[in-house]
Amino acid sequence: MSKRSLSPVPLPPSKRIHTALEEPLPGEVLSTFDNVLSDEIVLFIFSYLAPSDLCTIQRTNRNWARLSLDNQLWKSLYIREYGRTRLRGARGFIGRGDGREIKPLPSRAKSEDVKDWKWMFRISSNWRTGRCSLEHLDLGASTWLFSQVQYQTHLLLAGNMSIMASSEPSARPAVVLTSPGRKACTLPCPPNRSGVMSPPSSRHHGKLVCILSTGEFSLFSIDHQSPSSSSRLLTYQPPGRSSRTAPIVQAAYHHPLLVTLSQTFHLSLYDLSSNSVKHTQTLTSFTSYPPSSLVLSAQSLVAYKLILAYATPVYPSHWSVGATELIITSEEASEMTVSNTRTTRTIDVPQGWVDEHKMRAVREQWSRKVARVADTQTDGKWVVLAPGQFLPAITSATPTHPGSASLASSSTPPSSPGPGTIYTSSSLHTASGLQLYRLYLPSSTSSSSSPKLTFVRTLHGQIGPVSTLALADGRCVSLGMNGSIWVWDLEAGTGVEVSPGITGPADDARDGDEDEDPAMDPFEAVKLRAATGAQGSVIFDDRRIVSSHGTEVEIRRFDV
């Protein structure tokens, strides 16, 4: 059988072997990912990548590195991940490293365009994971002001400036100002308590009020560019010492309004306009107790809103938290006074007979009452309560330090121990749970204008008793008695440990010489502060946490 003849059509050319080193034919342009797709399409593809993958592909080539660093791309990723167009917790001037505010000028880019969104994403990611750098603040010649571990160091942040003052009784009380690249400067106060800062003005000057334990206070003009050029504007001395004026435990200042809160819960309003002091009103509460916190904001040129969070007693001998909103107005030719006030509490017992539904709600509320309150904080939207632990008193022939009683009295129940007692701290390794509440403040014109304080969740994770809290912009920072620091995202209900603190004696202290002074051991200092009820201090802004627990001031930076 004869074979079939082949087709006269010529065969196609053989396929070429494609290699990476293949040379293109003359006039031929190789099609690659870079020259086939436009930048807009590549950016659209990159928008589906994770932030870590975007950082990885920067090493591919120059074009991918350029596109993966696109500022608009990182802006969309930041807003999608964190739901806002700014960093959380900013205080004072924003936009420059020296604390000065960036103002848009004609034919100049707007302040939003100068934001580095990739850097903002990195800072926010560091807050979420607890990644930061640690440095000890150099106080220079002012170190002697913070030499005693049993006294609290009051902290404030304004831009890049850190402001500190000690509660230790002193014949030369002073306020210490520090900023990066400059030596710490000291502002002497007239013959020590806390300070409050007003929002900075457009001339890079702010106003600081320092309130003393005697009830008097001083108003300072703070120069952010040259802290050593700061000066005192006035000093106010109350007509007499009373429970209204001393001691002051909280204060809030938004020029020209100054609000002070005494330990007996006397709320005083002062008008500091024209560099003069005028006491306009005093309010008193008999159902509110320290610890407390104040948030003051300006609603308009003549109206301010003040929100207080405080401890409230619960029968028979327990505590919970409450909140009050005060509207302060100043009409033409009239004084600043409170025009409206609304109050809400977490435990609200209905009057008269109750049904089973209301009884279940009451039982649920009562299950959250605590025997002691370590601290309460609010930012106007959230309220956090840190339960404390009872420190059993043991009779001793050694009298306590006169200053330790005043420090502990702000966070203990009304019954105070008598003289000649010392304290034994509870375990530093017990679990602590922070109670998180949502504060609803509907507008006064709303049909349901009653405020509500609703329990959201309990924040678990920190080990050991909590010393103090800091709360701003939906973020909470808790400082433990042992120096541990946790950062909480209140909106997501998550937390991360930034510092474990001091968990036990140092190795050299266990095996060292028995004749060595135990007070030098950090763990012994922690037990001393817990036994005396000494409270630490912590504050934060959008890039750092500043804390004081003992004699040192530590700064943890998240812009790394």
Side-chain angles (χ1 to χ4, degrees), residues 402-469:
S404 60
S406 62
L407 288 175
S409 59
S410 63
S411 57
T412 55
S415 57
S416 58
T421 59
I422 61 175
Y423 293 92
T424 302
S425 66
S426 55
S427 173
L428 296 177
H429 300 280
T430 56
S432 297
L434 306 180
Q435 296 182 11
L436 175 62
Y437 296 87
R438 179 70 164 87
L439 179 60
Y440 294 94
L441 294 171
S443 61
S444 57
T445 59
S446 175
S447 58
S448 58
S449 59
S450 300
K452 294 181 181 179
L453 200 55
T454 306
F455 175 76
V456 179
R457 60 174 62 91
T458 301
L459 304 175
H460 294 286
Q462 191 160 9
I463 302 299
V466 174
S467 174
T468 187
L469 302 172

Side-chain angles (χ1 to χ4, degrees), residues 43 48 68 93 180 201 203 295 317 334 342 345 467 485-486 498 507 512 527 538:
L43 288 174
Y48 287 91
S68 62
F93 298 117
S201 64
R203 298 189 301 271
V295 176
S317 59
S334 64
R342 297 183 295 177
R345 298 182 179 180
S467 174
I485 296 178
W486 275 68
V498 175
D507 294 337
K527 293 195 294 183
V538 64

Side-chain angles (χ1 to χ4, degrees), residues 265-296:
F265 245 78
H266 287 77
L267 189 74
S268 300
L269 307 182
Y270 296 90
D271 185 358
L272 305 186
S273 58
S274 303
N275 288 339
S276 61
V277 181
K278 184 177 182 181
H279 176 231
T280 60
Q281 191 179 13
T282 296
L283 293 87
T284 305
S285 174
F286 298 99
T287 59
S288 308
Y289 296 89
S292 58
S293 62
L294 307 179
V295 176
L296 180 62

Side-chain angles (χ1 to χ4, degrees), residues 544-555:
R544 55 184 169 160
I545 296 176
V546 182
S547 61
S548 173
H549 192 268
T551 59
E552 289 187 341
V553 178
E554 297 177 339
I555 300 180

Side-chain angles (χ1 to χ4, degrees), residues 1-268:
M1 185 176 179
S2 61
K3 292 186 178 181
R4 192 175 177 180
S5 59
L6 297 176
S7 173
V9 179
L11 296 175
S14 59
K15 293 184 177 180
R16 294 184 294 112
I17 301 177
H18 296 275
T19 63
L21 301 178
E22 181 183 6
E23 294 293 335
L25 297 177
E28 181 183 4
V29 178
L30 289 178
S31 298
T32 64
F33 188 86
D34 294 330
N35 57 25
V36 170
L37 302 179
S38 63
D39 289 353
E40 290 77 7
I41 297 179
V42 176
L43 288 174
F44 181 76
I45 297 173
F46 283 0
S47 65
Y48 287 91
L49 297 180
S52 57
D53 296 332
L54 277 178
C55 297
T56 302
I57 64 176
Q58 293 179 18
R59 296 175 293 180
T60 305
N61 54 44
R62 292 184 180 181
N63 189 50
W64 282 33
R66 176 182 63 87
L67 295 175
S68 62
L69 292 175
D70 182 76
N71 204 38
Q72 196 67 23
L73 173 63
W74 283 97
K75 178 181 178 180
S76 61
L77 289 176
Y78 184 87
I79 296 176
R80 184 176 62 192
E81 183 72 19
Y82 297 102
R84 51 177 48 85
T85 59
R86 55 178 176 80
L87 293 173
R88 299 168 69 174
R91 299 172 185 266
F93 298 117
I94 304 173
R96 285 182 51 145
D98 58 2
R100 294 174 55 189
E101 186 180 19
I102 293 179
K103 291 290 186 179
L105 298 177
S107 65
R108 178 180 290 185
K110 295 182 179 180
S111 58
E112 179 180 324
D113 298 333
V114 300
K115 292 181 180 179
D116 189 343
W117 292 96
K118 182 176 183 293
W119 188 241
M120 291 172 57
F121 196 101
R122 178 167 181 156
I123 294 174
S124 299
S125 299
N126 290 340
W127 277 101
R128 178 176 290 181
T129 59
R131 178 178 178 267
C132 61
S133 63
L134 173 63
E135 62 182 73
H136 297 274
L137 192 61
D138 184 14
L139 300 177
S142 305
T143 307
W144 63 273
L145 293 171
F146 312 95
S147 58
Q148 300 295 326
V149 297
Q150 65 268 32
Y151 293 104
Q152 183 181 6
T153 300
H154 301 278
L155 302 172
L156 283 175
L157 295 178
N160 254 19
M161 181 179 294
S162 303
I163 306 173
M164 292 157 289
S166 175
S167 63
E168 179 182 359
S170 173
R172 297 180 297 164
V175 177
V176 180
L177 309 178
T178 63
S179 57
R182 296 183 177 92
K183 293 183 179 179
C185 81
T186 303
L187 298 179
C189 298
N192 48 33
R193 198 69 188 176
S194 60
V196 289
M197 188 83 179
S198 177
S201 64
S202 59
R203 298 189 301 271
H204 317 300
H205 283 260
K207 291 187 176 180
L208 173 74
V209 174
C210 180
I211 303 173
L212 310 181
S213 59
T214 56
E216 56 184 314
F217 59 83
S218 299
L219 176 64
F220 293 90
S221 175
I222 305 299
D223 190 340
H224 286 259
Q225 294 181 337
S226 178
S228 59
S229 302
S230 304
S231 59
R232 189 173 69 215
L233 300 178
L234 61 88
T235 298
Y236 172 78
Q237 187 170 3
R241 186 180 178 90
S242 63
S243 58
R244 179 188 70 84
T245 59
I248 301 298
V249 294
Q250 290 290 340
Y253 177 41
H254 195 299
H255 190 76
L257 176 61
L258 171 66
V259 182
T260 63
L261 182 66
S262 67
Q263 191 170 10
T264 55
F265 245 78
H266 287 77
L267 189 74
S268 300

